[in-house]
Amino acid sequence: MNSIGEACTDMKREYNRCFNHWFAEKFLKGDGSGDPCTDLFKRYQQCVQKAIKEKEIPIEGLEFRGHGKDKPENSS
Amino acid sequence: MKIWTSEHVFDHPWETVTTAAMQKYANPMKPSVVGVDVLHRPVDPSGKLHSHRLLSTEWGLPSIAKSLIGAERTKTYAQEHSVVDPVRKAMELRSTNISFTYMVSVDERLTYKPHPQDPEKTVLTQEAVITVKGVNLRSSLEGLMASTVSSKARKGREAVEWGIRKLSAEVEALAASARGSIRAPVAAE
């Protein structure tokens, strides 16, 4: 599945591979700390935020905030 | 205002269904969803995973209409917020449209939980509230939209089943490859 920003699709796929593995093998098995995908997510997000601005997608005022701000202190 | 609800049982445990549901939009049953992005994905202090996603859907207009209207304007957007609680084994998902909110509001809620009588099964409860704003034909439009939601919901469930089959096939392929590599040194002797 593509990203909303065409340039972001590869970054998204890389992040998704990391996330899907962590989600099934760690998070669902009770080990939700230490998310290894933070850097991949940051890179992917920078691209997506740019695409949202360029396409003028109306997300202002919605509950999306930054990325990872609510994460516990000990996550990687 | 129209409310539509449905319940469905998957013949798979909650972890399998939740994993497939998280990957749901890469599937052939919903070709109109053309873009999905995660915008925010924190684990909250109680250990629940939140995902905020932005979805873009293509109307499926013929290309001449798109060239008249402009390719970007034939897309509609929705937002989705899901919460996964790995301790209580519950996934809740809520999505609302962002586009055309001045005309219509579609608010869908889904809950995936283990079946109360059989832990190898999962119950999906779905609910949609549809409100068409300021239109005389309100109730028939809302009825039409409710049947569209119902058909999309069925496709959504088929998409999760598809995801589960795909995951099983990948696991089987990995297991077969692992068995093959364990046998090989023995055969060489």
Side-chain angles (χ1 to χ4, degrees):
Chain A
M1 175 54 57
N2 291 339
S3 168
I4 281 159
E6 296 78 16
C8 313
T9 295
D10 286 345
M11 285 181 231
K12 180 196 156 178
R13 288 203 181 123
E14 227 185 311
Y15 162 71
N16 269 350
R17 261 197 299 270
C18 179
F19 171 79
N20 289 336
H21 184 264
W22 172 82
F23 181 77
E25 299 306 318
K26 298 276 182 185
F27 179 76
L28 287 186
K29 295 184 179 175
D31 182 10
S33 64
D35 176 2
C37 311
T38 338
D39 290 343
L40 287 171
F41 188 64
K42 272 186 191 138
R43 220 162 59 96
Y44 160 49
Q45 274 311 292
Q46 274 160 10
C47 183
V48 167
Q49 293 297 333
K50 188 160 166 272
I52 286 171
K53 280 200 177 75
E54 279 166 6
K55 291 170 193 277
E56 298 177 348
I57 299 173
I59 66 162
E60 297 80 34
L62 294 179
E63 54 185 304
F64 307 135
R65 293 183 300 275
H67 27 88
K69 284 190 182 143
D70 296 347
K71 282 193 176 160
E73 300 273 333
N74 61 354
S75 70
S76 62
Chain B
M1 175 134 104
K2 191 93 176 169
I3 297 172
W4 167 90
T5 61
S6 152
E7 206 177 80
H8 176 79
V9 177
F10 291 95
D11 209 3
H12 302 276
W14 179 82
E15 288 80 356
T16 306
V17 175
T18 302
T19 303
M22 288 298 271
Q23 301 176 38
K24 191 172 107 177
Y25 282 110
N27 78 80
M29 284 93 179
K30 278 199 170 177
S32 62
V33 176
V34 295
V36 180
D37 283 300
V38 180
L39 296 195
H40 190 37
R41 193 168 245 165
V43 178
D44 73 20
S46 69
K48 298 193 198 94
L49 177 74
H50 294 249
S51 302
H52 293 266
R53 303 205 298 182
L54 179 64
L55 280 52
S56 98
T57 305
E58 179 64 64
W59 289 2
L61 290 176
S63 33
I64 187 161
K66 279 200 238 185
S67 62
L68 287 170
I69 296 169
E72 275 314 308
R73 291 166 69 182
T74 62
K75 291 201 178 73
T76 56
Y77 297 98
Q79 60 142 344
E80 179 200 272
H81 175 202
S82 64
V83 186
V84 181
D85 184 338
V87 173
R88 289 202 184 84
K89 298 199 185 189
M91 175 173 177
E92 289 169 17
L93 198 146
R94 187 176 175 191
S95 85
T96 56
N97 59 308
I98 305 174
S99 306
F100 303 116
T101 49
Y102 60 94
M103 275 172 45
V104 67
S105 149
V106 181
D107 185 347
E108 292 186 82
R109 292 174 205 223
L110 283 72
T111 311
Y112 295 89
K113 286 188 178 150
H115 193 287
Q117 276 90 48
D118 184 350
E120 294 304 304
K121 295 186 176 170
T122 302
V123 180
L124 163 63
T125 314
Q126 287 176 266
E127 177 189 288
V129 178
I130 301 152
T131 312
V132 175
K133 297 172 189 185
V135 176
N136 287 337
L137 296 174
R138 203 167 166 141
S139 61
S140 54
L141 271 176
E142 287 174 352
L144 178 64
M145 290 200 62
S147 71
T148 306
V149 164
S150 167
S151 141
K152 281 185 179 178
R154 182 181 46 78
K155 288 185 182 154
R157 295 191 290 268
E158 287 166 9
V160 173
E161 296 278 7
W162 176 87
I164 291 168
R165 288 195 294 276
K166 183 166 173 284
L167 280 170
S168 303
E170 284 167 7
V171 165
E172 187 47 48
L174 272 172
S177 144
R179 285 195 292 272
S181 61
I182 289 164
R183 276 196 207 115
V186 174
E189 285 164 15

